Amino acid sequence: MRHPLGFAVLVCALTAAVAAGLVLGPAQITLEEVWAVLTGQPTRPIAQLIVGSVRLPRTITACLAGAALGVTGLAMQTLFRNPLADPFILGVSAGSSLGVAAVILVVGGSGAAALTAGLGFGGDLAVVVASAIGSGLVMALVLVLGQVVRSSVTLLLIGVMIGYLVSAGVSIMMSFSTPQLIAAYSRWGFGSYGGVTWVNLPLISAVIGLGMVASLALLKPLNALLLGERYAQSVGLNLKAVRMALIALSSVLAGTVTAFCGPIQFLGIAVPHLARGTFNTSDHRVLIPATALTGALLALTADIIAGLPGDSVLPLNAINAAFGAPVVVWILMQRRRLAL
């Protein structure tokens, strides 16, 4: 009964967090007004504008991003048998950052106002496209190298080195840029769910939804990898194909989240550990939905906390680390060995 009870608690907690995300904010909106907006009943125009156009898409985006990063973190930790692996371990985040840096720090010199007008909310079209291209190029490079490299550990180290190399390129561009553009790039790096509107929400929902379905199709290979690559091959698993599928899935999901929301840190590492500690299992039939729900809950909770000051918004990544790190440390201290 532990697993059904755990899922019931997660669903209830996520429902409460969604309600809090729609009610809490600088403008005072009551729960009755939120319900009226969701059900199409008449209410104050300001409540319809704030809830329908700002808070609802932001809340949905936070849930989608948290679920995507949690599941990809679980896949990377299982594939590489490394508790510190996360969706960005293969350099996808660094590739996205390189694309955004090229737009803001280089092209921004001739059109900074146009390119960075919506940067504080992560919704500028040029930034989204550049981020997607950067992550896609890094993903393509990793996939090519994965056809040659046999060891997942070696591929992990190659991904880390690619990330360092791309980050070096970003640092070089920053050294030749202006303080104003560097500040704009830094704001994008804070991460935010507020830039996704109803216009681009269907795209991010479709990509992440398909990614969740694809992760369910990889349940058996992931469970086989728990006992090591040699065991997985002995039961007839095509290790190279599975590895490429997991890398492509993680890169697409993480790249999509980064493109629309900025580099959301920490969730990919923390969420799988929280799910394992809560359900006390390594079975991916339980962990995949558990990490999706836990990731959505943690991402939304951090976003709510970041907006509590009112007019000013705290850096989202700082909240992610401060909120989740003590919990993960406690779980790791309680477990004598990590079940991967």
Side-chain angles (χ1 to χ4, degrees), residues 87-100:
F88 302 135
I89 197 67
L90 296 176
V92 177
S93 177
S96 297
S97 300
L98 180 63
V100 173

Side-chain angles (χ1 to χ4, degrees), residues 2-28:
R2 178 172 183 171
H3 295 167
L5 179 61
F7 280 115
V9 171
L10 279 178
V11 171
C12 292
L14 182 58
T15 302
V18 169
L22 296 177
V23 172
L24 299 178
Q28 294 184 354

Side-chain angles (χ1 to χ4, degrees), residues 19 30 44 51 121 186 202 281:
T30 65
R44 290 188 302 161
V51 175
F121 303 99
S186 299
T281 182

Side-chain angles (χ1 to χ4, degrees), residues 291-309:
T291 52
L293 290 172
T294 305
L297 175 61
L298 189 61
L300 184 54
T301 302
D303 185 61
I304 293 172
I305 294 175
L308 286 181

Side-chain angles (χ1 to χ4, degrees), residues 108-250:
S110 58
L115 291 174
T116 63
L119 184 63
F121 303 99
D124 186 82
L125 179 60
V127 171
V128 171
V129 173
S131 177
I133 292 175
S135 62
L137 291 176
V138 172
M139 180 189 70
L141 177 60
V142 172
L143 288 175
V144 171
L145 294 175
Q147 296 294 331
V148 180
V149 177
R150 295 184 177 181
S151 172
S152 294
V153 176
T154 303
L155 186 60
L156 175 67
L157 295 176
I158 291 176
V160 172
M161 293 302 106
I162 292 175
Y164 281 126
L165 182 62
V166 174
S167 298
V170 174
S171 299
I172 292 174
M173 282 189 286
M174 292 180 68
S175 65
F176 290 99
S177 187
T178 64
Q180 293 80 7
L181 295 179
I182 293 175
Y185 175 78
S186 299
R187 287 195 297 272
W188 174 83
F190 288 155
S192 173
Y193 305 121
V196 178
T197 65
W198 291 114
V199 176
N200 43 35
L201 186 59
L203 176 59
I204 186 175
S205 300
V207 173
I208 293 178
L210 291 175
M212 295 293 107
V213 174
S215 67
L216 294 177
L218 294 170
L219 282 174
K220 290 184 178 180
L222 284 170
N223 279 338
L225 287 172
L226 290 174
L227 299 178
E229 294 183 354
R230 290 187 177 181
Y231 171 80
Q233 288 178 315
S234 68
V235 297
L237 187 68
N238 188 334
L239 187 59
K240 182 178 290 186
V242 171
R243 184 197 301 164
M244 291 300 100
L246 289 173
I247 291 173
L249 174 66
S250 300

Side-chain angles (χ1 to χ4, degrees), residues 53-126:
S53 301
V54 179
R55 294 183 183 176
L56 185 56
R58 185 188 187 106
T59 298
I60 296 174
T61 302
C63 293
L64 291 173
L69 295 178
V71 170
T72 50
L74 174 66
M76 291 294 96
Q77 291 174 13
T78 301
L79 175 63
F80 296 116
R81 298 182 62 81
N82 189 328
L84 298 180
D86 71 345
F88 302 135
I89 197 67
L90 296 176
V92 177
S93 177
S96 297
S97 300
L98 180 63
V100 173
V103 169
I104 298 175
L105 302 179
V106 179
V107 185
S110 58
L115 291 174
T116 63
L119 184 63
F121 303 99
D124 186 82
L125 179 60

